[in-house]
Amino acid sequence: MHELTDASVGFTFGGRPAIAKLRPGDRLYTQTKDCFGGAVASIDDLPSQVCQFPYLNPVTGPFHIIGAQPGDTLAVHLVSLHPSVPYGWSSTFPHFGALTSTAQTATLQPPLEERVWRYAIDLHAQTVRYSARTSDVKIDLPLEPMLGTVGVAPAAGEVRMSIVPDRYGGNLDTPLLRAGSTLYLGVNEPGAMLSLGDGHARQGDGEVSGVAVEVAMDVVLAVDLIPGVYTPTPRLETDAALMSIGLGRPLEDAFRVAQHDLVEQIAAVTGLDLLDALQLVAQAGETRVGNVVDANYSMVARIAKRYLDGACSYAGVHAGLRSSRPVL
Amino acid sequence: MHELTDASVGFTFGGRPAIAKLRPGDRLYTQTKDCFGGAVASIDDLPSQVCQFPYLNPVTGPFHIIGAQPGDTLAVHLVSLHPSVPYGWSSTFPHFGALTSTAQTATLQPPLEERVWRYAIDLHAQTVRYSARTSDVKIDLPLEPMLGTVGVAPAAGEVRMSIVPDRYGGNLDTPLLRAGSTLYLGVNEPGAMLSLGDGHARQGDGEVSGVAVEVAMDVVLAVDLIPGVYTPTPRLETDAALMSIGLGRPLEDAFRVAQHDLVEQIAAVTGLDLLDALQLVAQAGETRVGNVVDANYSMVARIAKRYLDGACSYAGVHAGLRSSRPVL
Amino acid sequence: MHELTDASVGFTFGGRPAIAKLRPGDRLYTQTKDCFGGAVASIDDLPSQVCQFPYLNPVTGPFHIIGAQPGDTLAVHLVSLHPSVPYGWSSTFPHFGALTSTAQTATLQPPLEERVWRYAIDLHAQTVRYSARTSDVKIDLPLEPMLGTVGVAPAAGEVRMSIVPDRYGGNLDTPLLRAGSTLYLGVNEPGAMLSLGDGHARQGDGEVSGVAVEVAMDVVLAVDLIPGVYTPTPRLETDAALMSIGLGRPLEDAFRVAQHDLVEQIAAVTGLDLLDALQLVAQAGETRVGNVVDANYSMVARIAKRYLDGACSYAGVHAGLRSSRPVL
Amino acid sequence: MHELTDASVGFTFGGRPAIAKLRPGDRLYTQTKDCFGGAVASIDDLPSQVCQFPYLNPVTGPFHIIGAQPGDTLAVHLVSLHPSVPYGWSSTFPHFGALTSTAQTATLQPPLEERVWRYAIDLHAQTVRYSARTSDVKIDLPLEPMLGTVGVAPAAGEVRMSIVPDRYGGNLDTPLLRAGSTLYLGVNEPGAMLSLGDGHARQGDGEVSGVAVEVAMDVVLAVDLIPGVYTPTPRLETDAALMSIGLGRPLEDAFRVAQHDLVEQIAAVTGLDLLDALQLVAQAGETRVGNVVDANYSMVARIAKRYLDGACSYAGVHAGLRSSRPVL
């Protein structure tokens, strides 16, 4: 288990030295803090008061992957995700979210009320309990742990806040980044410099209020390398599907990037030409909205492997990570 | 059965006299032409050559709903959808679709190649067969019939091409508009003036190439009225979920409209205040992309009824239509 | 002078019979109501209370242009614009404007305060006087009369609210539509069916609050026809410049449409190929923001004629209208 | 004169040590390379072949401003800009620009042809000469030197490619950043860390092709500090006007940020409340499009000082820099 200390977390992708090294094939047992860094501990702890910009969304890492070179692809397989504590927090945050004006979509209107919600997590029942703040309504929702933020050092020497998603990964905020998924990221710096954080006990499509059910997370992951193959935008693979993640603004640009990359993936693994691959995506593709709140929006384009005769983009890397020795 | 003649179809919402009248509670047996009006009959029939603007996307209707008045809501329950013929057509179309420049997203690049695909429909196996044009690849996809286009006369005396989606419905292009669904539309003109068309044997999220598996459709639907309640943006209901459809550009605006209306629906049926309803949507809401190609994009925000203690927005109208006497 | 009666105005483009006929070459003396239809007569008249949707933005017309056929271009030269009264009105309007959430850019925030401003117009000094509502500040701004709304019947049998701008013209809301300008519009219906309204004593770029200095206007215009030449998006010409107007959403799409059409105009009149014309636009083009508030945003791309060796797109139609016999 | 060496230029904002120190009030004589780093030396030098990502858009600096602390504002007054050489270069670049699909607005279309244009600069006549590549057309355009890129180290420890514009400045690409202008930037790191580059002999609004008339530039600038006042988005001031620069996507968000900040500037210097300031901007504001091609788009909102009774936002800093001792 990687013990989590203050030195283990940071607030950027890029610009920080490695806290540990991993070999391709290694499993990592680690923890992530919640996006508030643990500062929200009651419904009276308003994030805008207890948190201090830019110290939001702490990520554990970076981990140096031995042998990773620019131009390679890093595969990160999420073996398991378990909330570290039996409760999670959500909130509104002033001028943040999809249904409020923001610093980018700037209006003269005052912010919505800042409010905090506490979710009880029942690991036995596998539920998170929503409790309304202004009434007695309580609703049990499925516990569906995910990581909001996984990424590597950006290209071109850039350093980005951990709250930003872009081609190097980062704050992707998609519920599809969960146990059983393999995330592929293009390597831009020697060692790749993997960081992760922002666990969510669950999240709706779009993270509409700007904040999911935020929780510290026990994480087990395994890593591998695909040398000499660069992945231009993040991709996901599960036993059942291939996916491409588009990041950008406006939302149709994030959509286009995701679909474009999925068409290219399909063309590459099936031998279809681009128009035939486009036609297949148009009829068989699915799309999941990630977030519509961050510095870049995220969309996930997905195609079931059963339509591809089982083909996959990285020659069995996911299957290899998937079937590796179970955690003792 | 409403017999389909040339006089039965048109190319606009609004601006045309009723072809028949229906009473609330009535079931309608009718047919819709495919979006090409049947003009594409082989893979050599390029739509840009065999179809003539603006005679695209014919809709059957309008049907006058007896008693419907501006300010009411029309409920349209899709009882069944069956392809009228055992094949469907898809295509690319010059400067139309999400992965090409268009008349709106104008660039100086030439259009993608125009190409037609024929899909064999197997009603027994419930599949549609994708056949690549430049290789031997064939893939069976599930038959999932839907209507792309259902709407009423727009507000303010407007008349819109049937290819446009907006607050009156129209070319919504969501796979969720299928048998078992009830669509709610605000009534703007006496009689509501319901029209429908654009059957798809199936469609991927986003209708990425601009064209689904287009097919003439045998349609059975039932209608009802909710007097004195206006629906500002289209809503869908199934046995399992409540949904709001956002139409607009850019895509984040379509997303916002859908989420905003879902928050209002939830607040109204649960008694939650708007922020508590927003919080529930943020964690429990799902979003399906409709189209990212039409004059307005479409997004569907959805919440499962099991999280709402079974509440629904229109006091049992869907259940009433759902449980009405089966078709003889 | 065309006498303005209730029968002379409407609230749509398309869908209404002509109120008068004009011959190519004719001058028309007419009037337009302000966008509130005169209902705002004091700073206590809140538009959301004294106006009734959809009876906003009345347009005078339509005028049938004798001989105009679909596929032609109508040229509308604005000879003179004079406020009919010595005062104008502006306001905020709930959930309308660029710095507020709207029905499209939907948020959960309440609207900004609705407030009305009265502007005194001094025809002698050629000024409009801004008077702050919460302080004594008064500022004289230049009187720069323009028409917000000029258009013809849309294509494909559509009927659109007069508040919408699109390829048929309509609520373009650009300060460049002023005396001395010629507007070119593609003809979609026999007679073209020209309507006009929405006079502004002046307007800033973007019409940021959603409302300009609204005023009834005395209008003199002259019309001409270019047979057999269709104009796909509105164009403007002055003695000094050629312009293309892009309408759309998001704003970059309006920008793209305007630049794309200007590149095509330049290529056509200079013989440059498209890339050479693009290069010229990139270095010599100017862009004016029209509105960022309406159903479609508007952008105007402009190039000075002095860079084109005096070339113009419609073979002297503007010059002919410009130099026609002065008004007696 | 700061002598330009390889060590004097970099390709990021943030992440690099200072190359020199300046005191508030100092004048700096320096040079900037063109955006190609001088690698384009003939019309046969295609940028995609002679330049190497990410070594594009070199900026001179960073300069450490003595005394600058986070939370201050840095004022950068451009005293003079003179092309270092009598010719400039422009080009198309694959999948870059407003009238082509891009990595963000991704389509399946191939790129436009890559082509280079050489502009002769006549310092005596103050012109740059456009020469078409596929015809004999030559056009003299006014020489209007500007800097595309001026910025400081970003907030939150970020490092950004010099080609990106954002709240710290950077690749703003507005023709209004020219001699006589003062740019205000919020200071995020001790010393502010000012860098500059990307001289343009001239540029059209929007930089439509993605590339202006690129030229190495002799630059004279003067700097000053406003302690304890932070500027949230870049602002410009001239003798005649106050301006706010909005950066973002989609373009309406860049527009909103610019207008929002201008409303706040006006309210602060006039004492008007926000709605009265909004009303003034709506009628008296001008907007210039910067670029519609970069990672973030740029828009400049402007109001003439003559409407503000001469008020300015930073208590005479611009005037002080403007009237400082002339260059010997």
Side-chain angles (χ1 to χ4, degrees), chain D residues 201-220:
Chain D
R202 69 169 290 114
Q203 178 203 307
D205 291 338
E207 205 180 7
V208 184
S209 71
V211 184
V213 181
E214 308 291 338
V215 68
M217 198 75 82
D218 295 341
V219 179
V220 183

Side-chain angles (χ1 to χ4, degrees), chain B residues 252-298:
Chain B
E252 54 261 45
D253 273 2
F255 177 86
R256 287 179 181 119
V257 168
Q259 306 297 332
H260 186 278
D261 189 67
L262 188 63
V263 167
E264 293 206 324
Q265 276 201 71
I266 290 172
V269 300
T270 61
L272 293 173
D273 83 345
L274 286 177
L275 281 193
D276 275 345
L278 169 65
Q279 176 60 212
L280 183 58
V281 167
Q283 313 315 340
E286 296 165 84
T287 300
R288 281 289 287 276
V289 179
N291 87 78
V292 191
V293 294
D294 292 334
N296 287 311
Y297 303 142
S298 58

Side-chain angles (χ1 to χ4, degrees), chain A residues 266-267 270-281 283 307, chain B residues 43 90 113 115-120 128-141:
Chain A
I266 289 172
T270 60
L272 293 173
D273 81 346
L274 285 178
L275 281 193
D276 275 345
L278 169 65
Q279 175 60 212
L280 183 58
V281 167
Q283 312 314 339
Y307 300 144
Chain B
I43 57 173
S90 192
E113 176 197 331
R115 193 186 286 181
V116 173
W117 288 261
R118 185 183 192 278
Y119 285 78
V128 298
R129 174 163 291 188
Y130 164 91
S131 300
R133 285 293 308 276
T134 60
S135 77
D136 291 335
V137 173
K138 294 184 194 311
I139 302 167
D140 285 330
L141 304 171

Side-chain angles (χ1 to χ4, degrees), chain C residues 203-227:
Chain C
Q203 178 203 306
D205 291 338
E207 206 179 8
V208 184
S209 71
V211 184
V213 181
E214 309 291 338
V215 66
M217 199 75 82
D218 294 342
V219 180
V220 183
L221 58 80
V223 296
D224 204 353
L225 279 177
I226 303 117

Side-chain angles (χ1 to χ4, degrees), chain B residues 191-313:
Chain B
M193 308 305 273
L194 172 71
S195 297
L196 53 138
D198 193 25
H200 298 164
R202 70 170 287 113
Q203 178 203 307
D205 291 337
E207 205 180 7
V208 184
S209 71
V211 185
V213 182
E214 308 290 338
V215 68
M217 199 74 82
D218 294 342
V219 179
V220 183
L221 58 80
V223 296
D224 205 352
L225 279 178
I226 302 117
V229 176
Y230 189 74
T231 298
T233 198
R235 294 176 175 179
L236 275 173
E237 183 175 352
T238 63
D239 292 355
L242 298 184
M243 294 171 256
S244 292
I245 306 179
L247 294 322
R249 279 177 171 241
L251 190 54
E252 54 261 45
D253 273 2
F255 177 86
R256 287 179 181 119
V257 168
Q259 306 297 332
H260 186 278
D261 189 67
L262 188 63
V263 167
E264 293 206 324
Q265 276 201 71
I266 290 172
V269 300
T270 61
L272 293 173
D273 83 345
L274 286 177
L275 281 193
D276 275 345
L278 169 65
Q279 176 60 212
L280 183 58
V281 167
Q283 313 315 340
E286 296 165 84
T287 300
R288 281 289 287 276
V289 179
N291 87 78
V292 191
V293 294
D294 292 334
N296 287 311
Y297 303 142
S298 58
M299 296 284 263
V300 186
R302 179 185 187 277
I303 191 156
K305 287 181 177 176
R306 68 179 177 279
Y307 300 144
L308 304 179
D309 205 20
C312 55
S313 288

